[in-house]
Amino acid sequence: MRRLLILLPPLAWLLLLVAAPLLIIGLIAFAEAGPGVPPFIPPFGWAGGPVWRGSTESIGTLLGETYYLEAFLRSLLTAFVTAALCLLLAYPMALGIAGARPSWRLPLLLLVLLPFWAGFLPRLGAWIGLLRDGGWANGVLGLAGIGPLRLLYSNLALYLGMVHAYLPFAVLPLATALLRRDRSLEEAAADLGATPFTVFRSVTLPLSLPAAASAFLLVFIPAAGEFVIPELLGPPEAQLVGRVLWGEFFQNRDWPLAAALALAMLVLLLPPILLFQRLGRRG
Amino acid sequence: MALLAVEGLSKRFGAALALDGLDLELRPGEFLALLGGSGSGKSTLLRLVAGFETPDAGRILLEGRDLAGLPPHARPVGMMFQSYALFPHLSVFDNVAYGLRRERMAAAEIGQRVREALAMVGLEAMAGRKPHQLSGGQRQRVALVRSLVKRPRLLLLDEPLAALDAGLRERTGLELRALQRRIGAGFVMVTHDQAEALALADRIAVLEAGRLAQCGPPAELYERPATRFVARFLGAANVLEGKVGADGVMVAGPCRLALPHGAAPGETLAVALRPERIRLLEGAPPGANGVAGVLRDLAYRGDGWMALVALPDGTELRVALPAGVAPPEPGSHLALGWPAEALVALRA
């Protein structure tokens, strides 16, 4: 009885804020688009008894047109590259923070989080100003006799923006894990004749793999659905799922197709999540 | 030549002086116990020898060679950690092989050396297990052979028995010493447990606030403690303080003490008196080396009782009463006496 009471709040939370919205999205995905507010006909009706009025048309569209498949693949690739770049940059940062004097650690962590204090859109605006044809970056390149290059609306700008936005999500779990690590293991390795590099390769790195996996996931999952950064900085031809979904929802007002896209994204993200969870447990 | 010589070693952590000009020597094949309370600097000494800390002053010589500037991985010194520090992601075999692999030894030879080492402590069957699948005693033995498999001439052990439960500790300690005798390496063992140090070590170095209080064979330290600290730390001796009178008899409160070798009149002295050297007497106490008191408290210790006897001036004497005799009732008046040889003059 008491266990039930303790479990009730999180259970209610999950039902209300996770399960119910998912169910609604699922229902909308099987509805037919139609005029009205909201712009779809509910898949279940009532005419003397329950009636199925749904349609699998949206799912069919999704599976039938390569446009959507390409958007998914490009999104996963973009998220993967972003997460990999963030991990590569975050690991040395986290190692440095964990190795710093105790009085320096908190200020260094705050510096990592500092960009969050400025709004997200102003920061992207700053990137646009830096990268546009007549911007600072091209100005400096021009002094060196290079350019002007097309930096904005390129993959370079896309990844600059993505890494800039998601890097703190990778630094935090890594720094926490590296701070908590048992230093006597590294001392034991050194005592047994391992050089500092070998200590890192054979002890520090393998033991931090679970944290690295969670850092990767924390970037990968939100990055896969990102639409603002690709929209503002990325190449126009690169249609990512986030942008496609936005377009279907707000421009085409095709809610069933948008809901189907969201569900498909969820299904696509499940395997990597499970894979990384297993990787984390093994480490 | 000494296997390890420590000369004037000092180390400061912020405001705390962990080691204060320590001098110490270890002979080849010797088992030395570093005994001291927490903060006495005993672990700091190990970490300085292993190379994890740098001394502020002084030298560390291994077989005459100054270790200054050598990083830990270049020092031919083994260390066993209190937490064992076994690599959780590696099997028992790979843990033990770790040090040999760093020497780029051939795989076949590594395999043979690791199997030999594991056989030495009866763990051949555990080679494939991970550390978390072992019992505490098994982990302790893996940590021991891992630090020994490179055959260091000097092994540093930081509280190697502290994490074991009491039943296992004594036997494992004896096995540890048997192993040390067999391989002939010099052992420096840090411990806060005086019984462990007395039982296992060839010599004991007692550290107090970063300085060497006394160093010598266990029996010498126990029977002839040099300082109050050593007398109290080893076996909880009574320490009596007083002044030597004109007749050469020292007066410490109500006690008149006739020292075995006499004393210069007028000298101020502190002497140690072991609880187990004090006897209960019938009748009145003798004029010297005896005192009357009231039994205040009694604690049963299995092999006898520890009695707290209040003297007329309010000080207390610890007296060990043997088992097999019914102890007196608390509150009863007792006459105590001890032989002159039981009194050991302390220098500080």
Side-chain angles (χ1 to χ4, degrees), chain A residues 101-124:
Chain A
R101 268 187 284 160
S103 56
W104 277 81
R105 285 178 198 150
L106 195 64
L108 285 172
L109 272 176
L110 284 177
L111 278 179
V112 171
L113 294 175
L114 199 61
F116 283 143
W117 297 356
F120 180 55
L121 288 176
R123 283 188 284 141
L124 287 186

Side-chain angles (χ1 to χ4, degrees), chain B residues 240-243 250-257 269 271 291 311 313 315:
Chain B
L240 305 168
E241 300 180 39
K243 209 166 176 183
M250 175 181 158
V251 180
C255 302
R256 289 174 49 77
L257 308 171
L269 271 182
V271 297
V291 73
L311 302 186
D313 68 339
T315 57

Side-chain angles (χ1 to χ4, degrees), chain A residues 184-185 187-196 198-199 201-203 206-207, chain B residues 47 52 72-73 77-79 81 83 85-89 98-99 102 146 150:
Chain A
S184 71
L185 295 179
E187 290 179 348
D191 189 65
L192 291 167
T195 58
T198 308
V199 172
R201 184 182 54 75
S202 63
V203 178
L207 288 175
Chain B
R47 297 180 57 78
F52 301 136
H73 66 84
V77 173
M79 173 133 172
F81 291 76
S83 63
L86 296 176
F87 306 125
H89 58 305
Y98 190 92
R102 303 287 84 80
R146 184 181 70 175
K150 289 182 82 169

Side-chain angles (χ1 to χ4, degrees), chain B residues 49-70:
Chain B
V49 175
F52 301 136
E53 311 279 355
T54 355
D56 296 331
R59 295 201 305 167
I60 301 167
L61 304 169
L62 187 71
E63 295 176 314
R65 177 172 162 230
D66 195 337
L67 291 182
L70 275 186

Side-chain angles (χ1 to χ4, degrees), chain B residues 53-223:
Chain B
E53 311 279 355
T54 355
D56 296 331
R59 295 201 305 167
I60 301 167
L61 304 169
L62 187 71
E63 295 176 314
R65 177 172 162 230
D66 195 337
L67 291 182
L70 275 186
H73 66 84
R75 298 190 179 198
V77 173
M79 173 133 172
M80 182 182 161
F81 291 76
Q82 183 173 7
S83 63
Y84 306 150
L86 296 176
F87 306 125
H89 58 305
L90 299 181
S91 67
V92 166
F93 183 95
D94 289 333
N95 262 282
V96 178
Y98 190 92
L100 301 176
R101 295 214 167 106
R102 303 287 84 80
E103 291 181 345
R104 311 205 173 284
M105 194 178 277
E109 202 187 341
I110 290 177
Q112 197 194 337
R113 288 267 292 265
V114 172
R115 277 190 295 276
E116 275 173 20
L118 288 175
M120 206 157 61
V121 290
L123 285 176
E124 310 98 304
M126 303 290 164
R129 298 230 184 143
K130 290 278 180 72
H132 69 89
Q133 294 168 310
L134 301 178
S135 72
Q138 289 169 336
R139 277 202 285 272
Q140 195 262 3
R141 283 178 280 161
V142 174
L144 179 64
V145 292
R146 184 181 70 175
S147 59
L148 282 175
V149 74
K150 289 182 82 169
R151 297 175 189 158
R153 262 154 306 180
L154 173 63
L155 183 66
L156 311 169
L157 304 103
D158 192 0
E159 303 266 9
L161 307 172
L164 300 177
D165 47 49
L168 209 53
R169 202 175 299 157
E170 189 173 10
R171 204 186 73 206
T172 310
L174 292 174
E175 284 171 7
L176 186 69
R177 193 180 54 178
L179 190 66
Q180 185 263 340
R181 294 282 186 266
R182 188 136 52 94
I183 60 178
F187 273 29
V188 178
M189 175 179 79
V190 156
T191 179
H192 65 274
D193 183 339
Q194 49 129 341
E196 202 172 288
L198 289 171
L200 302 180
D202 297 320
R203 278 193 308 152
I204 299 176
V206 181
L207 296 190
E208 182 196 5
R211 292 165 178 272
L212 190 64
Q214 192 177 2
C215 186
E220 183 186 309
L221 256 70
Y222 193 83
E223 281 157 27

